[in-house]
Amino acid sequence: MTVEASLALPLFIFFFVNIMTMFNIVKVQSDLEAALHQTGSEMSLLAYDLSFGEESLGAEGGGAVDTLAGAAGIFYAKEKVRQYLGDGINKSVVTDGFEGMSFIQSKVLFGNDIIDLVVDYKVHPLIPVIGFNEFGVESRYFGHAWTGYDISAGLDMEGVEEEMVYVTEHGEVYHRSIDCEHLRLKVQSVPFEDLKHLRNNDRKIYYACEYCGENIGGGNVFITGYGERYHSSINCLALKRKIYTIPISEVGGRRACSTCG
């Protein structure tokens, strides 16, 4: 029994330590991903606040936003992640604790206001085990600051005078104004019984939507001013608009909108 115990106990301890280490690695990875996501989201909102504030005050040069970008932004992200992780990270499987985490590959507000937080670090067993060497792990947050999207970013727009227009995924017309009433749907809720007396702005009657309008016998339905369908759900796909900005030379067979074209 002594011989068996001397052989079995070290193996048991070996596997037990490895299992504890694996659980700790997963916990660190999960905590770090959560910290990066929270930090990235806060920085996205902060970029919007700074940008909006500068526009409201008439600031030029993007001073506040530039401060968040680059090395200052990375330092800010590192300190926020440190706060979220707390001191427990220094007692985990991460080699050298939080100081062993590298943010050097991170980029803040580059390109079209992209926030890319990358953390590289190494993990080791909680108790030194022969044959278990430390290895590298990477966590990442990739997102866009809440500052809008510039369709001209990365393009040489100098000398380009072609008009840009707006189209929808299945629309048959193109629009010169993003605020066209055909693009900005105004949905009304009306009793189903009133449909036989109602007409759209083109004096046409309403038919059941092919997606959600079948088998409606009562209650309220949803209609739009220029649509020809009534809907049982406000979330119907036919009530959604995916708007694309394209050069007017690419409109193909689409005709000009009767309202803004």
Side-chain angles (χ1 to χ4, degrees):
M1 292 178 64
T2 303
V3 175
E4 292 177 354
S6 64
L7 294 175
L9 186 60
L11 290 176
F12 172 78
I13 295 175
F14 174 78
F15 288 113
F16 185 74
V17 169
N18 275 276
I19 291 174
M20 290 178 58
T21 299
M22 293 300 295
F23 278 126
N24 199 268
I25 291 174
V26 173
K27 181 181 184 304
V28 169
Q29 184 79 354
S30 299
D31 291 345
L32 182 55
E33 289 287 350
L36 286 175
H37 184 273
Q38 186 69 25
T39 300
S41 298
E42 290 183 10
M43 294 181 71
S44 298
L45 180 58
L46 180 60
Y48 167 80
D49 290 339
L50 294 175
S51 177
F52 181 79
E54 288 178 352
E55 292 176 2
S56 300
L57 296 174
E60 297 181 357
V65 176
D66 289 343
T67 301
L68 181 63
I74 296 174
F75 178 79
Y76 175 85
K78 185 174 182 178
E79 290 305 308
K80 294 296 292 185
V81 171
R82 185 198 298 270
Q83 293 177 20
Y84 283 117
L85 293 179
D87 295 332
I89 194 67
N90 296 320
K91 303 175 183 178
S92 67
V93 295
V94 178
T95 302
D96 297 328
F98 187 80
E99 296 304 321
M101 292 184 167
S102 172
F103 288 71
I104 194 170
Q105 296 190 64
S106 300
K107 298 178 181 178
V108 178
L109 297 182
F110 74 99
N112 202 331
D113 287 349
I114 296 297
I115 297 177
D116 187 13
L117 304 180
V118 182
V119 181
D120 295 299
Y121 59 98
K122 291 184 178 181
V123 295
H124 62 273
L126 293 172
I127 302 175
V129 177
I130 297 176
F132 194 131
N133 298 321
E134 64 179 13
F135 59 90
V137 184
E138 182 178 280
S139 294
R140 186 177 191 179
Y141 168 87
F142 187 90
H144 190 284
W146 300 347
T147 55
Y149 180 72
D150 182 8
I151 62 171
S152 65
L155 300 177
D156 183 9
M157 302 300 291
E158 186 176 350
V160 177
E161 299 180 356
E162 186 172 7
E163 180 184 4
M164 305 298 288
V165 294
Y166 307 96
V167 298
T168 57
E169 190 172 10
H170 302 293
E172 299 178 355
V173 300
Y174 64 87
H175 308 265
R176 285 190 162 90
S177 173
I178 190 64
D179 296 317
C180 178
E181 58 187 358
H182 293 285
L183 293 176
R184 305 297 185 186
L185 295 180
K186 294 181 179 179
V187 182
Q188 296 177 282
S189 177
V190 299
F192 176 76
E193 295 76 13
D194 292 351
L195 284 175
K196 57 185 176 182
H197 305 298
L198 295 175
R199 299 293 184 270
N200 67 10
N201 294 343
D202 292 326
R203 307 306 303 165
K204 296 180 180 179
I205 64 176
Y206 291 96
Y207 299 94
C209 170
E210 59 269 31
Y211 300 111
C212 68
E214 300 295 335
N215 302 320
I216 300 178
N220 276 28
V221 294
F222 302 95
I223 60 174
T224 60
Y226 285 92
E228 299 180 12
R229 306 287 181 176
Y230 60 84
H231 311 266
S232 64
S233 172
I234 190 67
N235 295 317
C236 177
L237 293 176
L239 289 176
K240 306 298 181 182
R241 285 287 186 270
K242 290 183 178 180
I243 303 175
Y244 302 93
T245 304
I246 63 173
I248 195 170
S249 61
E250 297 180 9
V251 298
R254 295 182 178 90
R255 62 182 186 278
C257 171
S258 58
T259 301
C260 67

